[in-house]
Amino acid sequence: MKKLFLIIFLAFTSTGFCQLKSRSFEEVDSLQHIENKKIIVFIHTDWCQFCQRMKNTTFKNQEIIQKLNSDFYFIDLNAEEKRDISFNNKTFKYKPSGNNVGVHELALQLGTMNNQIVYPVLCVLNEKREIILQYNNYLNPKDFKLLLEKLKE
């Protein structure tokens, strides 16, 4: 019985169950000086059902977690974040638009396409912090893996 427990414990603590490393914008600014990587920003809200589905499926996939952790800097950005965020030598702020409603300037900067923002948004920045891809739709694990492979090329 102890051997079985030990085997199960080792299986869950080995590389098969790693966590997705979500970075902050400030952290990525510093990390780019050490190693240049593309930045993938996942822009979402708490009320968006497709955002939550992506969090619970795509970003729980072990292959995707491994690829994101090793080949990219991943940032999880709640579009309704209220704290100031410094990125690329600028400070971005939360902009209220009503009673307990608003959007963060950085989410708008990175996620706006055709003069609107539709969640979820994947924004990919190159090593120079320039937007090279914006995609505003749910991506299942299979399609997200294909996207990561293309971005790695």
Side-chain angles (χ1 to χ4, degrees), residues 6-19:
L6 182 61
I7 291 170
I8 292 171
F9 175 77
L10 290 175
F12 281 104
T13 57
S14 69
T15 56
F17 277 59
C18 57
Q19 294 286 324

Side-chain angles (χ1 to χ4, degrees), residues 24-35 73 87 129:
S24 69
F25 283 95
E26 296 84 0
E27 195 176 1
V28 167
D29 267 345
S30 299
L31 288 170
Q32 287 289 36
H33 295 294
I34 299 167
E35 183 179 4
Y73 293 124
F87 180 63
R129 298 174 189 100

Side-chain angles (χ1 to χ4, degrees), residues 32-90:
Q32 287 289 36
H33 295 294
I34 299 167
E35 183 179 4
N36 278 328
K37 293 182 182 181
K38 289 184 177 103
I39 303 165
I40 296 179
V41 184
F42 175 58
I43 306 168
H44 60 87
T45 65
D46 292 337
W47 50 263
C48 166
Q49 67 181 10
F50 295 106
C51 302
Q52 299 310 313
R53 187 183 317 164
M54 259 185 97
K55 281 183 165 188
N56 292 321
T57 58
T58 306
F59 294 120
K60 299 277 184 186
N61 180 289
Q62 289 300 307
E63 238 181 292
I64 289 170
I65 290 171
Q66 190 277 325
K67 286 177 194 264
L68 284 172
N69 286 346
S70 64
D71 300 335
F72 303 93
Y73 293 124
F74 178 77
I75 300 175
D76 185 336
L77 175 61
N78 184 334
E80 298 170 325
E81 174 70 49
K82 290 188 170 64
R83 71 177 181 87
D84 291 356
I85 299 173
S86 295
F87 180 63
N88 219 10
N89 299 317
K90 292 182 186 172

